[in-house]
Amino acid sequence: IASTFIAEGAKVVMAARDTETLKRASVELKTGNAIILPIPTDVTNESQVIALFEKVNKELGRIDILINNAGTTEMAPIDDLTIAQWCKVIDVNLTGTFLCSREAMKVMKDQGRGRIINIGSVSSQMPRKNSVPYSTSKSGVIGLTKATALEGRDYDVIASCVQPGNV
């Protein structure tokens, strides 16, 4: 996703928990005059997400497109799942998407335009065996996307959800 935006000349911000992976990806994607801003962020941490959007808005002056792409899974039968496994998946896949969408919406409403693209999953409609938290979180992303789209309508903030299969 980042390489496509870079090829189109967009200024790209990449956020991830793993600082080394983030740095490595930034170096690998850097071409010509590309502007890439890597910011270590855990999307499950509200204060880190707020700081991410404050920094991006300060450094770049606007946020035109948000891609909510963070995701994780825990594969186990429902009767073997721990609450920690459940919460990990819900926190990353759904709460992280909410936090980033909320902070982007604040900026996008002020600037009168924006796009929020959430990466869902076909698993929201066709779950795989042993995927209860993942399928549930991705179903939640659909509801979050629809509600966000409704709230953004008057501000030209469009929210949509892409639901790929195995990637």
Side-chain angles (χ1 to χ4, degrees):
I1 295 170
S3 64
T4 299
F5 279 105
I6 291 165
E8 292 295 323
K11 298 172 185 171
V12 173
V13 175
M14 296 190 309
R17 288 174 298 188
D18 186 334
T19 303
E20 289 307 312
T21 301
L22 190 58
K23 286 179 187 175
R24 190 168 48 254
S26 297
V27 169
E28 289 173 8
L29 291 170
K30 180 76 170 156
T31 58
N33 294 327
I35 296 173
I36 303 170
L37 184 60
I39 304 174
T41 307
D42 179 347
V43 297
T44 68
N45 183 308
E46 184 177 24
S47 62
Q48 287 186 29
V49 172
I50 291 169
L52 165 70
F53 281 85
E54 286 174 350
K55 182 171 185 169
V56 171
N57 202 31
K58 182 181 177 187
E59 299 265 335
L60 301 179
R62 61 184 299 112
I63 300 170
D64 294 309
I65 302 170
L66 166 67
I67 310 286
N68 279 309
N69 193 42
T72 192
T73 191
E74 290 282 341
M75 302 296 287
I78 190 169
D79 52 328
D80 288 340
L81 282 168
T82 66
I83 191 67
Q85 290 172 304
W86 169 267
C87 288
K88 174 186 166 191
V89 176
I90 296 299
D91 285 350
V92 171
N93 297 359
L94 186 54
T95 304
T97 299
F98 157 72
L99 290 171
C100 291
S101 296
R102 180 188 72 187
E103 296 307 308
M105 182 67 82
K106 292 174 184 177
V107 175
M108 291 174 177
K109 280 172 76 172
D110 283 347
Q111 65 193 28
R113 180 172 166 70
R115 304 297 179 257
I116 298 172
I117 302 170
N118 296 324
I119 306 300
S121 172
V122 71
S123 291
S124 66
Q125 296 177 28
M126 295 297 296
R128 293 178 187 87
K129 188 175 180 182
N130 301 327
S131 69
V132 168
Y134 183 79
S135 296
T136 302
S137 70
K138 293 303 184 173
S139 294
V141 168
I142 293 171
L144 173 62
T145 303
K146 289 178 179 181
T148 303
L150 184 62
E151 291 189 23
R153 185 178 293 161
D154 293 339
Y155 304 93
D156 196 23
V157 177
I158 297 171
S160 57
C161 184
V162 178
Q163 297 187 55
N166 286 342
V167 176

